[in-house]
Amino acid sequence: MKMYKLNNVSKQITKFIKLLVFVSLVFMIIFSGLNLVFPFKFHVNYSSIVTDRNNVVIHAFLSNEDKWRMYSELKEISPSLKKAIIFKEDKYFYYHPGINLISIIRALKNNLIQQKRTSGASTIDMQVVRLLEPKKRTYQNKIIEMFRALQLEVNYSKDEILQLYLNLVPYGGNIEGIKAASLLYFGKSPNHLSPAEIASLAIIPNRPNSLKPGTNNQKLINERNKWLKRLRPSKIWSNEIIDDAIEESLSMYRREAPKYAPHFSYRIKNKFPDKSIIHSTLSLETQRKTEKLLSDYARKLYLVNTKNAAVFIIDNKTHSIVSYIGSSDFNNIETSGQVDGVRAIRSPGSTLKPLLYGLAFDKGIITPKTIIEDLPVNYNGYEPENYNNKFNGQVSVEFALINSLNVPAVNLLNEISTDKIINKLEDCGFYQIKKDKDKLGLSLILGGCGVNLEQLCNLFSCFANSGMYIPAHYIISDTLTISKKILSKPSAFMLSDILSKLTRPNMQFQWQNSNSLPPIAWKTGTSYGRRDAWSIGYNNDYIVGVWAGNFDGTSIPLLSGARIATPLMFKIFNSIDKNSESAWNIAPDSIDFRLVCSKSGRVPSSFCKNQVIDYYIPELSNTIRCEHMKYIFIAADSSISYCSSCLPATNYIKVLYPNYSPQMINYLETNHIKYKTIPPHNPNCEKIFIKNAPQIISPIDQAVYYLDKDESMQMKLSCYANDDVNKIYWYINDVFYKSAGAGKGIFVQPPKGKVKISCSDDKGRNSDIVISVRYIDY
C-alpha cells in the first residue's frame, strides 16, 4: 500500500515537472516571438560631462531635455552604494529574472484584501522600465512593464541594469541619477560618498518633493537615520560605521554644476556631441591654479588697456594638454570673454624665428657664433626694421635670436626661401598659413601671417623634443601619436641653448635676477602695431604659452611680449614646475664644438687672434675660413694702395684691413663710426675693375614713384660701394648729375616718365636702374 502511494506521488511529480517544462518552453517560445516583434529599444539622453585626467568632473552640460542626467560608470558605483540601494529597493535583485513572482502574489493578495495599493512588487528592472517608458499605473501597463523587465534581463547583465537604474532614478526637479545628485548635492562623485550621504541619496527617490535637500534638512536627517537603523541586520556596514553615520551632520544643498575650463569644455563637447563622458587630459588642479594666476595678473593688464589673455599648457612628457584658458574672464561680455584666445588667429610677431634659425642650422648656413649683419636692406620695396628702429651692424646669430632682430631674420629667410618654412609650418598644422601660402612673403617671419596659441605651443614642442613635432592630445583615450621630424637633434639643442639665456631686451629686472625660476627656454613676440604679446616657454616638463592683447585688435602702446606676456609665463612655471631638473637640455651625441673666430664665427685663419667655443654639426655646418680681414698692399707712407697689376718693385708694405661688405661700410659711414680705411688706389693703375660694382639701393629698380608737382619733391640717391671706393658719380638719363663720397646720399628732382639712373665709382665700375616718375597735380 505504501509502495503504491509512493509510486503515485512519483508519477504526479513527474507529470508536474513535465508540465512545468512544457509551460516553460511555451513561455520561452512566446517570449522569444514577442521579443522579436516588440524589441525593447531605448536611448537615454545623458548630460555631457567633461572630466580631468583624474576623473574629476570639470564641466557639466544639461542634456537635450534640459535635465541633469549624468552617466555613472560602473567603477564609480562603490560596493557599499550598490548593496545599500539593492537592500532598500530590491533585496532579491540578483536572484530573480526581472520580476519577483512572490512579491507580485503578495502584493495582489494585499491589494485585493485591502481594496487599495498597500505594497509594491516592482523590481529594480521594472522601475528601470517605468523610468524609460513612463505610463499610467494600470494592470495592462504593469504586464507590459514585466515583459520589458524580462527583456532587460535577456539583453543586459545585472550590473548593467543596476547601473541604468542609478543613472535614471529621480531626485526632484531636473536632477536624475545618482551621479548628478551626488555632484549637485554633495559636490563629489558617487564613489566618494560617505555612508551617511549614501543613505541620504537612497531615501530621496521615493519622496523627492517632501525630502528635497536644502529645504528641510532636519526632516531628511531623521528619515536617513531611521533607514540607517534598518540597515544594521544587512551587515553592509558595521554598527560602528552606522553609529558614526547617524551622528554625521548633513551639508546637503543644491550646488552649481562644475563650470571650469569653459572654452576647452565647449570645444571638446562640440567635437564629441554624442559622448556622455569625455575623459580629458586636463588637470583640474593645474587649471584652477593657472586661472587664479591669470585672474590676478589680468587686473594689472587692465591698467595698461590690455583686456584679455589666454594660456595653454602642455605636459611635455605625455604630450597632453593640462591647462586651457581661452580668456581672462569667460563671463565678461564687455571684453568678449567668450572668444577663445587659444584658437583665435593672430599675428605671431617674432615667435616663428626659432624655427627659421633651426632650419638654417640644419642647412649648415650658420652656427650660434656665426656673425651676420643687422643693416638696412631693401627687398623690392620691403624695408624691414627692428623693434627699436635701430640697427646693430655685425652681430652673432645667438645675439640676433635672443634680441629678436628683424633684419637678420628676413635676410636668413630670403636665403632659405619662404617655401621651405611654409612647408614646415604646414607639417606642424598651421592651417591659416597653408590657406594663405600663395600670399605670404618675407614679412611672414616678422608676423605677417596668421597663427594661434595652440599651434605655437605645438611647434615649440619640437624644440623641446629633439626636433620631433608631436601635437598635444586632449582625450585620454587618444593613444594615436603623430610625430614628424622638423629639425635635427643638434639643431633643437642649439636653439634651446640660445633661448635659455635669461637676459633679454625689455625684460623686467626682477626676473633677470630670479633664483626661483625653473630652467626653461623661451621666445617672445610682439605683433606689428602692438596688438599681440606672446611668450612661449618650455623645458622637459611643460610647454607654457601666453597670449595677451585685445580681441578687437586695439593697439596698446606699452604692449610687448617681454614686458606683458613673459612675467605671467614665469609665474605659471614657478607655480607648476618648482622642482624641475636643473640640467634639462642635454647635448646629443651628434653635435660637437670647435674654436671659431670671434669676429666672424667661422673657422679661424692665421690672423684670427680672438677665438671662442661654438657648437656645430659635424659634416654639415660650413667650414669656410674666416675672411674678416684682408691683406692690402700699400705704399710705405700709407698714402696709396696697390693691386697686383700696379704693385711696385719696392717701397710698399703688406697690411691687414677689415674686410667689410659695402652695406657695412655704408652703415659705418652713416653712423660716423671710425674704422680702419684703405688708402686710395694708385691713380696711375691701368687695370680695369669689373667685380664689386656699386649697388643702387635708392631708388628701387622698376618701381613707380608718385611725386607732388607743387611741393618740388626730391628723391634720394644712395648706393652700397666696395671698401676700396672713395667717390661715386651719378648720372640721370646718361647725363652727369653730381658726385659724392662713398656712402653719402644725394637728392635729385627727377624728370617725368621713364628715368635711367646710373652710378659709377672711381674704379670705373657702373650700375644702372630704370624707374617711372609720375607727378600728381592736386
Side-chain angles (χ1 to χ4, degrees), residues 600-642:
S600 67
R602 300 196 181 278
V603 177
S605 294
S606 58
F607 47 74
C608 299
K609 304 302 180 186
N610 298 316
Q611 300 177 15
V612 294
I613 296 175
D614 188 20
Y615 287 111
Y616 78 107
I617 306 175
E619 300 182 4
L620 183 60
S621 298
N622 73 66
T623 55
I624 300 173
R625 288 279 174 181
C626 176
E627 297 178 344
H628 86 277
M629 300 289 284
K630 61 181 178 181
Y631 284 103
I632 300 293
F633 297 111
I634 64 173
D637 60 359
S638 302
S639 57
I640 58 174
S641 60
Y642 302 106

Side-chain angles (χ1 to χ4, degrees), residues 70-74 76-77 163 166-167 178-179 190 277:
M70 303 178 190
Y71 181 79
S72 296
E73 297 177 290
L74 287 172
E76 294 180 290
I77 304 172
Q163 179 188 22
L166 291 174
N167 285 334
I178 194 77
K179 185 166 185 172
I277 300 181

Side-chain angles (χ1 to χ4, degrees), residues 654-724:
K654 189 178 180 182
V655 179
L656 276 171
Y657 283 89
N659 188 17
Y660 291 130
S661 67
Q663 294 89 335
M664 186 64 192
I665 292 172
N666 183 71
Y667 170 79
L668 295 171
E669 294 284 351
T670 303
N671 290 277
H672 309 290
I673 299 172
K674 293 183 178 181
Y675 65 100
K676 189 177 181 179
T677 58
I678 301 172
H681 193 67
N682 180 11
N684 298 319
C685 181
E686 297 180 354
K687 180 181 178 180
I688 298 175
F689 293 88
I690 300 175
K691 294 182 179 180
N692 300 321
Q695 177 188 348
I696 299 174
I697 58 172
S698 176
I700 300 167
D701 191 24
Q702 302 301 320
V704 179
Y705 290 87
Y706 293 87
L707 304 180
D708 189 340
K709 186 176 182 181
D710 297 330
E711 294 292 332
S712 300
M713 295 179 68
Q714 292 189 319
M715 180 180 292
K716 184 178 181 180
L717 305 180
S718 61
C719 70
Y720 290 144
N722 206 37
D723 57 358
D724 59 355

Side-chain angles (χ1 to χ4, degrees), residues 49 74 166 189 297 364 373 479 586 588 625 641 654 769:
I49 58 175
L74 287 172
L166 291 174
S189 297
Y297 192 73
E373 292 183 338
T479 55
I586 309 300
R625 288 279 174 181
S641 60
K654 189 178 180 182
I769 64 167

Side-chain angles (χ1 to χ4, degrees), residues 27 30 73 79 138 157 159 173 283 357 403 427 437 478 487 504 518 561 584 597 607 640 776:
F27 176 80
I30 294 172
E73 297 177 290
T138 64
S157 69
D159 283 344
S283 165
Y357 281 87
N403 290 274
D427 289 342
K437 64 180 180 181
D478 185 3
L487 300 172
R504 304 286 178 89
W584 65 275
C597 175
F607 47 74
I640 58 174
I776 302 172

Side-chain angles (χ1 to χ4, degrees), residues 446-602:
L446 306 185
C449 57
V451 306
N452 66 37
L453 183 59
E454 181 178 1
Q455 292 168 348
L456 286 175
C457 289
N458 279 324
L459 172 65
F460 274 64
S461 74
C462 98
F463 310 147
N465 292 289
S466 301
M468 296 300 295
Y469 169 74
I470 307 173
H473 63 276
Y474 40 83
I475 301 296
I476 287 178
S477 59
D478 185 3
T479 55
L480 180 63
T481 300
I482 300 172
S483 61
K484 299 176 183 177
K485 183 179 180 182
I486 303 300
L487 300 172
S488 69
K489 289 182 179 180
S491 179
F493 166 78
M494 287 188 284
L495 280 176
S496 297
D497 184 64
I498 293 171
L499 295 175
S500 60
K501 303 289 191 297
L502 192 59
T503 303
R504 304 286 178 89
N506 298 319
M507 275 285 294
Q508 296 184 15
F509 179 79
Q510 66 265 30
W511 290 113
Q512 292 181 349
N513 295 276
S514 174
N515 294 321
S516 61
L517 185 66
I520 61 171
W522 82 95
K523 181 71 183 75
T524 63
T526 308
S527 67
Y528 179 77
R530 298 177 185 267
R531 293 176 172 84
D532 306 277
W534 305 87
S535 190
I536 319 291
Y538 64 92
N539 61 12
N540 276 349
D541 299 321
Y542 295 102
I543 298 166
V544 177
V546 173
W547 168 86
N550 295 319
F551 288 136
D552 61 4
T554 304
S555 180
I556 305 163
L558 296 178
L559 190 75
S560 77
R563 184 183 295 113
I564 299 297
T566 298
L568 176 58
M569 187 266 290
F570 285 170
K571 286 176 182 288
I572 293 170
F573 259 111
N574 273 338
S575 175
I576 67 175
D577 199 34
K578 286 182 180 178
N579 300 317
S580 178
E581 301 172 12
S582 57
W584 65 275
N585 188 35
I586 309 300
D589 294 336
S590 49
I591 198 171
D592 207 343
F593 59 88
R594 65 187 178 186
L595 288 172
V596 295
C597 175
S598 63
K599 297 294 184 180
S600 67
R602 300 196 181 278

Side-chain angles (χ1 to χ4, degrees), residues 80-96:
S80 57
L81 172 60
K82 186 187 299 185
K83 290 176 183 177
I85 294 295
I86 290 173
F87 180 84
K88 182 178 184 301
E89 297 294 333
D90 189 357
K91 293 183 180 68
Y92 303 102
F93 174 70
Y94 281 106
Y95 305 102
H96 61 64

